Structure formats: C-alpha cells, structure tokens
Amino acid sequence: MWKLWYWSSATSQLKGRGEYIRLVFEEAGVPYEEPARKEGAEAVSAFFWKGGNKNFPLRAPPAISRGDFTLCNTPVVVIYLGRKFGLMPTTGEDDVAHCESIVTIVADAVGEGRLAFHPLNHYASHKGQEEASVQHVQRYGEQRLPKYLAYFEDILSKNPHGSMFLVGDRLTVADLQVFQYCLAAEQHYKQWYAPEIKKAPLLSALVDAVAQRPNIKAYLASDRVFPWDSDSMM
C-alpha cells in the first residue's frame, strides 16, 4: 500500500502541503495510509532523519513510499501519481507539459502565500511575527493573489478543447491543485479572495465542480480531513 509521510500528532494536525497529494489519492480512489496519523510526528522524523528510510534519500515531508520506492517534493509527487493513476491529460504531450506547468505554479503560489506569514524567519512559527506579517499578508492578498486567480481563469478561457477543465478534456492533477489552492486562499486570504473570485467565473465553477466529484465530496465530508492551520497558507 502507498504511504504518505506528512506531519501529524495528537496535538498538531493540519492539511499543509500533504493535502495537495491526498486529493490525488482520493480522486483516484487509490488506498493509502499516513503513518503519522497513528504513530505521530515521531514516525515521520524517524523515517526521514533517523534511519527509517533505507531507500532513495528524502529531503523533507511530504513524501510517498511503496515498497522500496520513495519520492518527495509536492509537485513532483503530484505529477508522478497523476501519471500512475490516469490523472494526466490524454490530449497530447503539449497538454501534459502545460499540466505539469500549472502544478508547479501552484506550488510557487502556495510558497509565496505561506512566507507572507513568516517574514522575519521563514523557518519559525508565525507566533512572534504577527505584527511584521500584516503588511506582507496584505501585499500578497492585494498584489499576488489576484494575478494567480486571473492566470488560472485565463487558462480556462483558452482551453482549446472547450472543456470546463484547465487542460485537456477531463479532470487532471492540475485541476486538483488549483482547487486546493483556491480553498487555501479563501481560508487565509478571504478578504481579498472573495472579491477576486467573483471576477473569475470559470475558475469559480471549476472549484465548485471539483468539490462535487463523488470521491472528493466524500473525502471532504469525512472525519479524515485535517483542519486548516490557523496562521499560514496550510
């Protein structure tokens, strides 16, 4: 069985970057387990940095493993699983490349959005950086978020296949990644997201459509969904 390695403990659970990978497993209907859900964050630390992983070295969570195969880096994992699970475009290699591009752009957007909450020390908690982060959060909300949403709207409007999806004629991992990014933006940048999404009707429709897909809808309604972080884009 596939394993997803990401942080979790009895006192600290969050969607984080792991959610972008969870959605791929969930949409594909492929079973997976998260060791940290049962064993806590120590299981992740032991696997990554205390000799637990005997195979290809991993830099940091999230990561996946199955048998002797290991892989980390969120967009790379998403693209790899997309190929394995039939969630990449089937309309040509150009569309595959465009799909991969969108996945990596979402990772950039998430990274930017997160750092706005950690302006003094990117590696430290938001706590202690609250006052300093205010202007950075506002700047991302006003200057960067609208550009990302407008970009995704533009892609949707120019899909030559005339579908409701970003690339090709069916749902791909690109749609799942943009979906989760929009949910995160709504959660952590709500005052800026709310007016901007109204300017992007195709993107808004995509978010609604992905949320209603049977497997995604069932997952979002389950008790397996972790809460949002309170002070980051996670």
Side-chain angles (χ1 to χ4, degrees):
M1 180 181 287
W2 288 100
K3 293 183 179 180
L4 170 58
W5 298 89
Y6 197 62
W7 300 114
S8 178
S9 69
T11 58
S12 177
Q13 299 178 336
L14 71 156
K15 297 177 185 292
R17 289 184 173 90
E19 194 73 359
Y20 291 85
I21 299 172
R22 291 184 192 105
L23 290 177
V24 180
F25 280 115
E26 296 293 341
E27 170 61 25
V30 174
Y32 67 103
E33 61 183 18
E34 296 188 53
R37 287 184 183 260
K38 293 182 179 180
E39 304 169 42
E42 178 56 33
V44 179
S45 296
F47 186 73
F48 275 80
W49 302 296
K50 298 179 181 179
N53 173 31
K54 308 297 184 183
N55 300 300
F56 189 84
L58 299 170
R59 174 64 188 88
I64 57 171
S65 67
R66 187 174 67 166
D68 60 2
F69 175 76
T70 58
L71 186 67
C72 66
N73 189 288
T74 304
V76 174
V77 170
V78 166
I79 291 167
Y80 173 83
L81 293 179
R83 291 196 179 102
K84 295 286 285 187
F85 301 159
L87 291 172
M88 296 295 284
T90 58
T91 46
E93 64 180 13
D94 288 355
D95 280 346
V96 171
H98 292 151
C99 177
E100 293 174 350
S101 175
I102 294 169
V103 170
T104 58
I105 286 170
V106 169
D108 290 343
V110 172
E112 284 186 50
R114 178 193 173 276
L115 289 182
F117 288 88
H118 308 265
L120 301 180
N121 185 340
H122 298 340
Y123 313 106
S125 169
H126 176 68
K127 296 176 177 61
Q129 305 185 66
E130 296 96 327
E131 184 176 350
S133 71
V134 172
Q135 63 177 322
H136 295 275
V137 170
Q138 181 177 355
R139 189 173 298 132
Y140 183 87
E142 292 179 348
Q143 300 179 16
R144 300 299 291 162
L145 178 62
K147 292 181 179 180
Y148 281 117
L149 298 184
Y151 176 66
F152 298 138
E153 178 75 4
D154 191 38
I155 294 175
L156 285 163
S157 71
K158 294 177 179 175
N159 184 336
H161 300 283
S163 73
M164 61 177 292
F165 303 112
L166 285 155
V167 183
D169 56 5
R170 64 177 189 171
L171 180 132
T172 68
V173 290
D175 301 296
L176 295 173
Q177 302 305 285
V178 169
F179 167 74
Q180 179 60 21
Y181 172 73
C182 287
L183 295 188
E186 182 178 29
Q187 175 70 23
H188 297 293
Y189 289 91
K190 189 175 185 64
Q191 71 183 89
W192 298 283
Y193 177 83
E196 291 299 327
I197 195 65
K198 293 179 181 178
K199 303 174 186 177
L202 298 177
L203 179 57
S204 179
L206 173 68
V207 172
D208 291 343
V210 173
Q212 292 302 312
R213 292 182 69 84
N215 286 355
I216 299 299
K217 184 176 181 178
Y219 168 66
L220 295 178
S222 75
D223 59 5
R224 295 182 295 111
V225 177
F226 286 140
W228 292 102
D229 193 352
S230 60
D231 51 23
S232 189
M233 200 171 185
M234 295 285 151

